[in-house]
Every structure is written in structure tokens, then in C-alpha cells.
PDB file of all heavy atoms in Angstrom:
ATOM      1  N   VAL U   1       8.826 -33.834 -43.185  1.00  0.00           N
ATOM      2  CA  VAL U   1       9.175 -35.145 -43.696  1.00  0.00           C
ATOM      3  C   VAL U   1       9.676 -34.965 -45.134  1.00  0.00           C
ATOM      4  O   VAL U   1       9.215 -34.069 -45.856  1.00  0.00           O
ATOM      5  CB  VAL U   1       7.970 -36.105 -43.631  1.00  0.00           C
ATOM      6  CG1 VAL U   1       6.851 -35.661 -44.562  1.00  0.00           C
ATOM      7  CG2 VAL U   1       8.394 -37.530 -43.920  1.00  0.00           C
ATOM      8  N   ASP U   2      10.632 -35.792 -45.540  1.00  0.00           N
ATOM      9  CA  ASP U   2      11.264 -35.614 -46.842  1.00  0.00           C
ATOM     10  C   ASP U   2      10.267 -35.587 -47.995  1.00  0.00           C
ATOM     11  O   ASP U   2      10.447 -34.847 -48.971  1.00  0.00           O
ATOM     12  CB  ASP U   2      12.292 -36.724 -47.086  1.00  0.00           C
ATOM     13  CG  ASP U   2      13.553 -36.549 -46.265  1.00  0.00           C
ATOM     14  OD1 ASP U   2      13.762 -35.456 -45.710  1.00  0.00           O
ATOM     15  OD2 ASP U   2      14.330 -37.515 -46.181  1.00  0.00           O
ATOM     16  N   SER U   3       9.220 -36.367 -47.900  1.00  0.00           N
ATOM     17  CA  SER U   3       8.288 -36.506 -49.010  1.00  0.00           C
ATOM     18  C   SER U   3       7.480 -35.241 -49.306  1.00  0.00           C
ATOM     19  O   SER U   3       6.886 -35.131 -50.379  1.00  0.00           O
ATOM     20  CB  SER U   3       7.331 -37.673 -48.764  1.00  0.00           C
ATOM     21  OG  SER U   3       6.546 -37.453 -47.606  1.00  0.00           O
ATOM     22  N   VAL U   4       7.461 -34.277 -48.384  1.00  0.00           N
ATOM     23  CA  VAL U   4       6.695 -33.052 -48.607  1.00  0.00           C
ATOM     24  C   VAL U   4       7.570 -31.816 -48.716  1.00  0.00           C
ATOM     25  O   VAL U   4       7.045 -30.721 -48.972  1.00  0.00           O
ATOM     26  CB  VAL U   4       5.627 -32.835 -47.517  1.00  0.00           C
ATOM     27  CG1 VAL U   4       4.776 -34.082 -47.339  1.00  0.00           C
ATOM     28  CG2 VAL U   4       6.262 -32.407 -46.192  1.00  0.00           C
ATOM     29  N   LYS U   5       8.869 -31.960 -48.546  1.00  0.00           N
ATOM     30  CA  LYS U   5       9.763 -30.808 -48.629  1.00  0.00           C
ATOM     31  C   LYS U   5       9.668 -30.154 -50.007  1.00  0.00           C
ATOM     32  O   LYS U   5       9.691 -30.828 -51.032  1.00  0.00           O
ATOM     33  CB  LYS U   5      11.204 -31.231 -48.349  1.00  0.00           C
ATOM     34  CG  LYS U   5      11.468 -31.569 -46.901  1.00  0.00           C
ATOM     35  CD  LYS U   5      12.928 -31.957 -46.674  1.00  0.00           C
ATOM     36  CE  LYS U   5      13.187 -32.255 -45.209  1.00  0.00           C
ATOM     37  NZ  LYS U   5      14.586 -32.689 -44.971  1.00  0.00           N
ATOM     38  N   GLY U   6       9.548 -28.844 -50.003  1.00  0.00           N
ATOM     39  CA  GLY U   6       9.399 -28.108 -51.241  1.00  0.00           C
ATOM     40  C   GLY U   6       7.975 -27.998 -51.725  1.00  0.00           C
ATOM     41  O   GLY U   6       7.698 -27.217 -52.653  1.00  0.00           O
ATOM     42  N   ARG U   7       7.059 -28.757 -51.132  1.00  0.00           N
ATOM     43  CA  ARG U   7       5.659 -28.716 -51.534  1.00  0.00           C
ATOM     44  C   ARG U   7       4.750 -28.167 -50.437  1.00  0.00           C
ATOM     45  O   ARG U   7       3.765 -27.490 -50.731  1.00  0.00           O
ATOM     46  CB  ARG U   7       5.169 -30.111 -51.926  1.00  0.00           C
ATOM     47  CG  ARG U   7       5.922 -30.719 -53.098  1.00  0.00           C
ATOM     48  CD  ARG U   7       5.234 -31.989 -53.600  1.00  0.00           C
ATOM     49  NE  ARG U   7       5.208 -33.034 -52.578  1.00  0.00           N
ATOM     50  CZ  ARG U   7       4.096 -33.577 -52.080  1.00  0.00           C
ATOM     51  NH1 ARG U   7       2.906 -33.180 -52.516  1.00  0.00           N
ATOM     52  NH2 ARG U   7       4.170 -34.529 -51.160  1.00  0.00           N
ATOM     53  N   PHE U   8       5.074 -28.481 -49.183  1.00  0.00           N
ATOM     54  CA  PHE U   8       4.250 -28.060 -48.047  1.00  0.00           C
ATOM     55  C   PHE U   8       4.974 -26.985 -47.255  1.00  0.00           C
ATOM     56  O   PHE U   8       6.206 -26.998 -47.144  1.00  0.00           O
ATOM     57  CB  PHE U   8       3.962 -29.230 -47.103  1.00  0.00           C
ATOM     58  CG  PHE U   8       3.044 -30.288 -47.645  1.00  0.00           C
ATOM     59  CD1 PHE U   8       2.672 -30.325 -48.981  1.00  0.00           C
ATOM     60  CD2 PHE U   8       2.549 -31.274 -46.802  1.00  0.00           C
ATOM     61  CE1 PHE U   8       1.833 -31.309 -49.471  1.00  0.00           C
ATOM     62  CE2 PHE U   8       1.708 -32.261 -47.274  1.00  0.00           C
ATOM     63  CZ  PHE U   8       1.347 -32.283 -48.613  1.00  0.00           C
ATOM     64  N   THR U   9       4.213 -26.082 -46.659  1.00  0.00           N
ATOM     65  CA  THR U   9       4.762 -25.053 -45.792  1.00  0.00           C
ATOM     66  C   THR U   9       3.924 -24.951 -44.529  1.00  0.00           C
ATOM     67  O   THR U   9       2.709 -24.746 -44.602  1.00  0.00           O
ATOM     68  CB  THR U   9       4.801 -23.685 -46.486  1.00  0.00           C
ATOM     69  OG1 THR U   9       5.582 -23.763 -47.680  1.00  0.00           O
ATOM     70  CG2 THR U   9       5.419 -22.637 -45.560  1.00  0.00           C
ATOM     71  N   ILE U  10       4.563 -25.105 -43.384  1.00  0.00           N
ATOM     72  CA  ILE U  10       3.882 -24.944 -42.109  1.00  0.00           C
ATOM     73  C   ILE U  10       4.133 -23.531 -41.600  1.00  0.00           C
ATOM     74  O   ILE U  10       5.231 -22.990 -41.741  1.00  0.00           O
ATOM     75  CB  ILE U  10       4.347 -25.998 -41.086  1.00  0.00           C
ATOM     76  CG1 ILE U  10       3.501 -25.934 -39.808  1.00  0.00           C
ATOM     77  CG2 ILE U  10       5.832 -25.848 -40.762  1.00  0.00           C
ATOM     78  CD1 ILE U  10       3.769 -27.081 -38.840  1.00  0.00           C
ATOM     79  N   SER U  11       3.114 -22.924 -41.025  1.00  0.00           N
ATOM     80  CA  SER U  11       3.246 -21.588 -40.469  1.00  0.00           C
ATOM     81  C   SER U  11       2.260 -21.423 -39.316  1.00  0.00           C
ATOM     82  O   SER U  11       1.377 -22.265 -39.120  1.00  0.00           O
ATOM     83  CB  SER U  11       3.018 -20.515 -41.541  1.00  0.00           C
ATOM     84  OG  SER U  11       1.708 -20.601 -42.072  1.00  0.00           O
ATOM     85  N   ARG U  12       2.425 -20.344 -38.571  1.00  0.00           N
ATOM     86  CA  ARG U  12       1.521 -20.110 -37.450  1.00  0.00           C
ATOM     87  C   ARG U  12       1.295 -18.630 -37.261  1.00  0.00           C
ATOM     88  O   ARG U  12       2.149 -17.796 -37.586  1.00  0.00           O
ATOM     89  CB  ARG U  12       2.080 -20.729 -36.159  1.00  0.00           C
ATOM     90  CG  ARG U  12       3.382 -20.107 -35.668  1.00  0.00           C
ATOM     91  CD  ARG U  12       3.998 -20.945 -34.554  1.00  0.00           C
ATOM     92  NE  ARG U  12       3.125 -21.047 -33.399  1.00  0.00           N
ATOM     93  CZ  ARG U  12       3.242 -21.963 -32.442  1.00  0.00           C
ATOM     94  NH1 ARG U  12       4.202 -22.884 -32.522  1.00  0.00           N
ATOM     95  NH2 ARG U  12       2.400 -21.973 -31.411  1.00  0.00           N
ATOM     96  N   ASP U  13       0.138 -18.297 -36.716  1.00  0.00           N
ATOM     97  CA  ASP U  13      -0.221 -16.937 -36.365  1.00  0.00           C
ATOM     98  C   ASP U  13      -0.553 -16.956 -34.884  1.00  0.00           C
ATOM     99  O   ASP U  13      -1.627 -17.406 -34.492  1.00  0.00           O
ATOM    100  CB  ASP U  13      -1.403 -16.448 -37.194  1.00  0.00           C
ATOM    101  CG  ASP U  13      -1.736 -14.997 -36.942  1.00  0.00           C
ATOM    102  OD1 ASP U  13      -1.385 -14.462 -35.879  1.00  0.00           O
ATOM    103  OD2 ASP U  13      -2.365 -14.378 -37.830  1.00  0.00           O
ATOM    104  N   ASN U  14       0.374 -16.492 -34.074  1.00  0.00           N
ATOM    105  CA  ASN U  14       0.193 -16.559 -32.629  1.00  0.00           C
ATOM    106  C   ASN U  14      -0.770 -15.501 -32.100  1.00  0.00           C
ATOM    107  O   ASN U  14      -1.178 -15.573 -30.939  1.00  0.00           O
ATOM    108  CB  ASN U  14       1.544 -16.451 -31.926  1.00  0.00           C
ATOM    109  CG  ASN U  14       2.379 -17.706 -32.082  1.00  0.00           C
ATOM    110  OD1 ASN U  14       1.890 -18.736 -32.528  1.00  0.00           O
ATOM    111  ND2 ASN U  14       3.651 -17.625 -31.711  1.00  0.00           N
ATOM    112  N   ILE U  15      -1.104 -14.520 -32.926  1.00  0.00           N
ATOM    113  CA  ILE U  15      -2.095 -13.533 -32.532  1.00  0.00           C
ATOM    114  C   ILE U  15      -3.497 -14.096 -32.715  1.00  0.00           C
ATOM    115  O   ILE U  15      -4.376 -13.930 -31.861  1.00  0.00           O
ATOM    116  CB  ILE U  15      -1.937 -12.227 -33.332  1.00  0.00           C
ATOM    117  CG1 ILE U  15      -0.537 -11.643 -33.122  1.00  0.00           C
ATOM    118  CG2 ILE U  15      -3.011 -11.222 -32.931  1.00  0.00           C
ATOM    119  CD1 ILE U  15      -0.215 -11.324 -31.680  1.00  0.00           C
ATOM    120  N   GLU U  16      -3.717 -14.792 -33.829  1.00  0.00           N
ATOM    121  CA  GLU U  16      -5.012 -15.394 -34.121  1.00  0.00           C
ATOM    122  C   GLU U  16      -5.134 -16.825 -33.603  1.00  0.00           C
ATOM    123  O   GLU U  16      -6.180 -17.448 -33.788  1.00  0.00           O
ATOM    124  CB  GLU U  16      -5.272 -15.374 -35.625  1.00  0.00           C
ATOM    125  CG  GLU U  16      -5.315 -13.984 -36.232  1.00  0.00           C
ATOM    126  CD  GLU U  16      -6.474 -13.174 -35.703  1.00  0.00           C
ATOM    127  OE1 GLU U  16      -7.517 -13.766 -35.356  1.00  0.00           O
ATOM    128  OE2 GLU U  16      -6.347 -11.937 -35.623  1.00  0.00           O
ATOM    129  N   ASN U  17      -4.084 -17.346 -32.985  1.00  0.00           N
ATOM    130  CA  ASN U  17      -4.094 -18.705 -32.426  1.00  0.00           C
ATOM    131  C   ASN U  17      -4.425 -19.751 -33.489  1.00  0.00           C
ATOM    132  O   ASN U  17      -5.284 -20.615 -33.291  1.00  0.00           O
ATOM    133  CB  ASN U  17      -5.085 -18.814 -31.268  1.00  0.00           C
ATOM    134  CG  ASN U  17      -4.668 -18.022 -30.058  1.00  0.00           C
ATOM    135  OD1 ASN U  17      -3.540 -17.546 -29.962  1.00  0.00           O
ATOM    136  ND2 ASN U  17      -5.583 -17.887 -29.110  1.00  0.00           N
ATOM    137  N   THR U  18      -3.718 -19.680 -34.601  1.00  0.00           N
ATOM    138  CA  THR U  18      -4.012 -20.573 -35.712  1.00  0.00           C
ATOM    139  C   THR U  18      -2.731 -21.140 -36.313  1.00  0.00           C
ATOM    140  O   THR U  18      -1.750 -20.419 -36.497  1.00  0.00           O
ATOM    141  CB  THR U  18      -4.805 -19.851 -36.807  1.00  0.00           C
ATOM    142  OG1 THR U  18      -5.979 -19.263 -36.235  1.00  0.00           O
ATOM    143  CG2 THR U  18      -5.239 -20.828 -37.888  1.00  0.00           C
ATOM    144  N   LEU U  19      -2.766 -22.421 -36.618  1.00  0.00           N
ATOM    145  CA  LEU U  19      -1.694 -23.126 -37.310  1.00  0.00           C
ATOM    146  C   LEU U  19      -2.149 -23.415 -38.731  1.00  0.00           C
ATOM    147  O   LEU U  19      -3.320 -23.724 -38.960  1.00  0.00           O
ATOM    148  CB  LEU U  19      -1.381 -24.431 -36.585  1.00  0.00           C
ATOM    149  CG  LEU U  19      -0.354 -25.360 -37.226  1.00  0.00           C
ATOM    150  CD1 LEU U  19       1.051 -24.800 -37.043  1.00  0.00           C
ATOM    151  CD2 LEU U  19      -0.464 -26.761 -36.622  1.00  0.00           C
ATOM    152  N   PHE U  20      -1.222 -23.343 -39.682  1.00  0.00           N
ATOM    153  CA  PHE U  20      -1.548 -23.566 -41.083  1.00  0.00           C
ATOM    154  C   PHE U  20      -0.634 -24.612 -41.701  1.00  0.00           C
ATOM    155  O   PHE U  20       0.497 -24.804 -41.276  1.00  0.00           O
ATOM    156  CB  PHE U  20      -1.412 -22.275 -41.893  1.00  0.00           C
ATOM    157  CG  PHE U  20      -2.263 -21.149 -41.411  1.00  0.00           C
ATOM    158  CD1 PHE U  20      -1.730 -20.164 -40.596  1.00  0.00           C
ATOM    159  CD2 PHE U  20      -3.595 -21.069 -41.763  1.00  0.00           C
ATOM    160  CE1 PHE U  20      -2.506 -19.114 -40.149  1.00  0.00           C
ATOM    161  CE2 PHE U  20      -4.390 -20.031 -41.323  1.00  0.00           C
ATOM    162  CZ  PHE U  20      -3.848 -19.053 -40.515  1.00  0.00           C
ATOM    163  N   LEU U  21      -1.143 -25.264 -42.725  1.00  0.00           N
ATOM    164  CA  LEU U  21      -0.332 -26.116 -43.575  1.00  0.00           C
ATOM    165  C   LEU U  21      -0.735 -25.836 -45.014  1.00  0.00           C
ATOM    166  O   LEU U  21      -1.829 -26.223 -45.436  1.00  0.00           O
ATOM    167  CB  LEU U  21      -0.510 -27.598 -43.243  1.00  0.00           C
ATOM    168  CG  LEU U  21       0.392 -28.549 -44.028  1.00  0.00           C
ATOM    169  CD1 LEU U  21       1.852 -28.352 -43.610  1.00  0.00           C
ATOM    170  CD2 LEU U  21      -0.032 -30.001 -43.819  1.00  0.00           C
ATOM    171  N   GLU U  22       0.135 -25.156 -45.743  1.00  0.00           N
ATOM    172  CA  GLU U  22      -0.089 -24.889 -47.156  1.00  0.00           C
ATOM    173  C   GLU U  22       0.464 -26.058 -47.948  1.00  0.00           C
ATOM    174  O   GLU U  22       1.647 -26.372 -47.849  1.00  0.00           O
ATOM    175  CB  GLU U  22       0.597 -23.589 -47.565  1.00  0.00           C
ATOM    176  CG  GLU U  22       0.339 -23.171 -48.997  1.00  0.00           C
ATOM    177  CD  GLU U  22      -1.066 -22.661 -49.214  1.00  0.00           C
ATOM    178  OE1 GLU U  22      -1.643 -22.086 -48.280  1.00  0.00           O
ATOM    179  OE2 GLU U  22      -1.596 -22.836 -50.333  1.00  0.00           O
ATOM    180  N   MET U  23      -0.387 -26.706 -48.726  1.00  0.00           N
ATOM    181  CA  MET U  23      -0.015 -27.895 -49.471  1.00  0.00           C
ATOM    182  C   MET U  23      -0.150 -27.608 -50.960  1.00  0.00           C
ATOM    183  O   MET U  23      -1.233 -27.253 -51.427  1.00  0.00           O
ATOM    184  CB  MET U  23      -0.882 -29.082 -49.075  1.00  0.00           C
ATOM    185  CG  MET U  23      -0.873 -29.387 -47.581  1.00  0.00           C
ATOM    186  SD  MET U  23      -1.805 -30.888 -47.164  1.00  0.00           S
ATOM    187  CE  MET U  23      -3.454 -30.370 -47.629  1.00  0.00           C
ATOM    188  N   ASN U  24       0.936 -27.769 -51.681  1.00  0.00           N
ATOM    189  CA  ASN U  24       0.971 -27.539 -53.117  1.00  0.00           C
ATOM    190  C   ASN U  24       1.443 -28.789 -53.842  1.00  0.00           C
ATOM    191  O   ASN U  24       2.040 -29.680 -53.249  1.00  0.00           O
ATOM    192  CB  ASN U  24       1.896 -26.367 -53.452  1.00  0.00           C
ATOM    193  CG  ASN U  24       1.464 -25.077 -52.812  1.00  0.00           C
ATOM    194  OD1 ASN U  24       0.330 -24.640 -52.972  1.00  0.00           O
ATOM    195  ND2 ASN U  24       2.379 -24.439 -52.080  1.00  0.00           N
ATOM    196  N   SER U  25       1.185 -28.832 -55.137  1.00  0.00           N
ATOM    197  CA  SER U  25       1.598 -29.966 -55.973  1.00  0.00           C
ATOM    198  C   SER U  25       1.194 -31.288 -55.343  1.00  0.00           C
ATOM    199  O   SER U  25       1.993 -32.222 -55.227  1.00  0.00           O
ATOM    200  CB  SER U  25       3.115 -29.921 -56.212  1.00  0.00           C
ATOM    201  OG  SER U  25       3.496 -28.723 -56.853  1.00  0.00           O
ATOM    202  N   LEU U  26      -0.046 -31.383 -54.961  1.00  0.00           N
ATOM    203  CA  LEU U  26      -0.524 -32.550 -54.229  1.00  0.00           C
ATOM    204  C   LEU U  26      -0.490 -33.810 -55.084  1.00  0.00           C
ATOM    205  O   LEU U  26      -0.743 -33.773 -56.294  1.00  0.00           O
ATOM    206  CB  LEU U  26      -1.928 -32.303 -53.704  1.00  0.00           C
ATOM    207  CG  LEU U  26      -1.983 -31.394 -52.475  1.00  0.00           C
ATOM    208  CD1 LEU U  26      -3.382 -30.853 -52.260  1.00  0.00           C
ATOM    209  CD2 LEU U  26      -1.508 -32.159 -51.240  1.00  0.00           C
ATOM    210  N   LYS U  27      -0.178 -34.915 -54.425  1.00  0.00           N
ATOM    211  CA  LYS U  27      -0.063 -36.214 -55.055  1.00  0.00           C
ATOM    212  C   LYS U  27      -1.055 -37.179 -54.419  1.00  0.00           C
ATOM    213  O   LYS U  27      -1.472 -36.979 -53.281  1.00  0.00           O
ATOM    214  CB  LYS U  27       1.357 -36.767 -54.883  1.00  0.00           C
ATOM    215  CG  LYS U  27       2.461 -35.852 -55.392  1.00  0.00           C
ATOM    216  CD  LYS U  27       3.825 -36.424 -55.056  1.00  0.00           C
ATOM    217  CE  LYS U  27       4.936 -35.520 -55.537  1.00  0.00           C
ATOM    218  NZ  LYS U  27       6.273 -36.074 -55.195  1.00  0.00           N
ATOM    219  N   PRO U  28      -1.421 -38.247 -55.127  1.00  0.00           N
ATOM    220  CA  PRO U  28      -2.338 -39.229 -54.537  1.00  0.00           C
ATOM    221  C   PRO U  28      -1.854 -39.777 -53.199  1.00  0.00           C
ATOM    222  O   PRO U  28      -2.675 -40.055 -52.320  1.00  0.00           O
ATOM    223  CB  PRO U  28      -2.408 -40.327 -55.598  1.00  0.00           C
ATOM    224  CG  PRO U  28      -2.164 -39.604 -56.879  1.00  0.00           C
ATOM    225  CD  PRO U  28      -1.138 -38.555 -56.543  1.00  0.00           C
ATOM    226  N   GLU U  29      -0.547 -39.931 -53.034  1.00  0.00           N
ATOM    227  CA  GLU U  29      -0.011 -40.451 -51.788  1.00  0.00           C
ATOM    228  C   GLU U  29      -0.140 -39.478 -50.623  1.00  0.00           C
ATOM    229  O   GLU U  29       0.154 -39.844 -49.485  1.00  0.00           O
ATOM    230  CB  GLU U  29       1.456 -40.885 -51.954  1.00  0.00           C
ATOM    231  CG  GLU U  29       2.352 -39.812 -52.542  1.00  0.00           C
ATOM    232  CD  GLU U  29       2.562 -39.975 -54.034  1.00  0.00           C
ATOM    233  OE1 GLU U  29       1.578 -40.288 -54.745  1.00  0.00           O
ATOM    234  OE2 GLU U  29       3.705 -39.801 -54.494  1.00  0.00           O
ATOM    235  N   ASP U  30      -0.570 -38.247 -50.885  1.00  0.00           N
ATOM    236  CA  ASP U  30      -0.853 -37.302 -49.816  1.00  0.00           C
ATOM    237  C   ASP U  30      -2.232 -37.522 -49.205  1.00  0.00           C
ATOM    238  O   ASP U  30      -2.569 -36.891 -48.199  1.00  0.00           O
ATOM    239  CB  ASP U  30      -0.762 -35.864 -50.329  1.00  0.00           C
ATOM    240  CG  ASP U  30       0.641 -35.482 -50.762  1.00  0.00           C
ATOM    241  OD1 ASP U  30       1.606 -35.854 -50.060  1.00  0.00           O
ATOM    242  OD2 ASP U  30       0.769 -34.805 -51.801  1.00  0.00           O
ATOM    243  N   THR U  31      -3.028 -38.389 -49.808  1.00  0.00           N
ATOM    244  CA  THR U  31      -4.365 -38.674 -49.299  1.00  0.00           C
ATOM    245  C   THR U  31      -4.285 -39.271 -47.899  1.00  0.00           C
ATOM    246  O   THR U  31      -3.622 -40.283 -47.686  1.00  0.00           O
ATOM    247  CB  THR U  31      -5.107 -39.630 -50.235  1.00  0.00           C
ATOM    248  OG1 THR U  31      -5.318 -38.993 -51.496  1.00  0.00           O
ATOM    249  CG2 THR U  31      -6.453 -40.029 -49.651  1.00  0.00           C
ATOM    250  N   ALA U  32      -4.951 -38.642 -46.956  1.00  0.00           N
ATOM    251  CA  ALA U  32      -4.908 -39.083 -45.564  1.00  0.00           C
ATOM    252  C   ALA U  32      -5.803 -38.177 -44.732  1.00  0.00           C
ATOM    253  O   ALA U  32      -6.271 -37.136 -45.199  1.00  0.00           O
ATOM    254  CB  ALA U  32      -3.477 -39.035 -45.023  1.00  0.00           C
ATOM    255  N   VAL U  33      -6.019 -38.582 -43.493  1.00  0.00           N
ATOM    256  CA  VAL U  33      -6.590 -37.688 -42.502  1.00  0.00           C
ATOM    257  C   VAL U  33      -5.437 -36.921 -41.869  1.00  0.00           C
ATOM    258  O   VAL U  33      -4.471 -37.524 -41.400  1.00  0.00           O
ATOM    259  CB  VAL U  33      -7.385 -38.445 -41.426  1.00  0.00           C
ATOM    260  CG1 VAL U  33      -7.887 -37.484 -40.354  1.00  0.00           C
ATOM    261  CG2 VAL U  33      -8.556 -39.188 -42.061  1.00  0.00           C
TER     262      VAL U  33
END
């Protein structure tokens, strides 16, 4: 989504069966479940 471009990075490890979301420069509007 445009609001997180340049700040968030999605990645996956198919060997460990894990999805990641690296979140940087967090803002109050990122507050959510």
C-alpha cells in the first residue's frame, strides 16, 4: 500500500515456513492489529 512504501518490507522463508514484515520509521497511523 502506498502509505508504507519505503518503510515496510515483506519477505518469506519457504524453508522455515515463515512470513515476515519489517516495519521501519513507524508512525502513529500504523497502529492496528
Side-chain angles (χ1 to χ4, degrees):
V1 66
D2 286 346
S3 62
V4 309
K5 288 181 178 178
R7 299 190 297 120
F8 291 11
T9 302
I10 187 171
S11 62
R12 65 191 299 162
D13 185 337
N14 288 348
I15 301 301
E16 299 295 330
N17 292 348
T18 306
L19 175 74
F20 302 98
L21 184 68
E22 184 73 31
M23 305 185 295
N24 300 306
S25 301
L26 284 163
K27 304 175 181 179
E29 53 262 42
D30 295 319
T31 295
V33 176

